[in-house]
Amino acid sequence: MTTEQPNPDQQPMHWNDMYLLGYTPIDEVHEEFVGLVGRMQQAADADLAGLLAEFTRHCEEHFGMENRWMVENDFPPRDCHIDEHAAVLASVHEVGELFAKGELGADVVRDLVEHLADWFPKHADQLDSALAHWMAKKRLGGKPVVLRRGLQLR
């Protein structure tokens, strides 16, 4: 098992206005997601198991909530979005279970975390923004307006 520590030169994910979608319930859950990924990026090996378990619970709730909204509100491209959530959650579960059993090292968890950090902005910008627009239109009668200025929010 390889022991790795976080790369001190690596910039962890931080919540900033580039992630805002303008629909508060999604923005709030995304802020938590980004925060957890950032914490895992900077965590010592000894802390990874607990953080990964916390992140897994977060993803189950986060994706479950979005999936329910898509079904309940008849969101047209829901199947693709739900499938992507399922694939990410399956990877998180698999790595978490194997890491907990000692069958994978921290290097694999760190690799997963970096893939999540790469995946999330595209997912949010492409799939979640469409859901945010759909939800805002259904509930508020119009699309959200988001002004981005490159501000770090937390």
Side-chain angles (χ1 to χ4, degrees), residues 4-5 20-21 31 35 50 54 64 77 81 94-95 99 102 110 118 124 126 132:
E4 276 191 26
Q5 295 302 315
L20 286 174
L21 300 178
E31 181 178 358
E54 183 180 350
H81 198 155
E94 182 179 9
V95 169
F99 185 58
R110 292 190 189 287
D118 290 340
Q126 296 168 3

Side-chain angles (χ1 to χ4, degrees), residues 40-58:
M40 288 189 295
Q41 287 173 310
Q42 294 298 296
D45 286 356
D47 298 326
L48 279 175
L51 284 169
L52 186 57
E54 183 180 350
F55 180 76
T56 302
R57 287 187 298 275
H58 164 84

Side-chain angles (χ1 to χ4, degrees), residues 3-101:
T3 301
E4 276 191 26
Q5 295 302 315
N7 179 348
D9 298 326
Q10 174 191 39
Q11 292 297 313
M13 285 187 91
H14 288 286
W15 183 246
N16 64 66
D17 68 0
M18 76 178 238
Y19 299 126
L20 286 174
L21 300 178
Y23 187 69
T24 302
I26 293 176
D27 287 337
E28 288 173 346
V29 76
H30 283 182
E31 181 178 358
E32 185 178 347
F33 182 99
V34 167
L36 284 165
V37 170
R39 286 172 55 204
M40 288 189 295
Q41 287 173 310
Q42 294 298 296
D45 286 356
D47 298 326
L48 279 175
L51 284 169
L52 186 57
E54 183 180 350
F55 180 76
T56 302
R57 287 187 298 275
H58 164 84
C59 286
E60 290 168 347
E61 293 172 15
H62 171 171
F63 297 164
M65 176 183 71
E66 288 183 9
N67 292 351
R68 279 189 304 281
W69 287 343
M70 287 186 275
V71 170
E72 290 169 0
N73 290 282
D74 204 26
F75 182 58
R78 69 183 165 271
D79 293 337
C80 167
H81 198 155
I82 290 170
D83 288 348
E84 191 164 307
H85 285 164
V88 169
L89 194 54
S91 294
V92 169
H93 277 138
E94 182 179 9
V95 169
E97 290 166 10
L98 294 172
F99 185 58
K101 292 178 189 176

Side-chain angles (χ1 to χ4, degrees), residues 106-132:
D107 57 326
V108 176
V109 176
R110 292 190 189 287
D111 187 54
L112 171 67
V113 170
E114 289 315 306
H115 279 88
L116 290 165
D118 290 340
W119 167 80
F120 176 76
K122 291 176 225 118
H123 176 82
D125 189 48
Q126 296 168 3
L127 298 179
D128 287 336
S129 66
L131 177 59

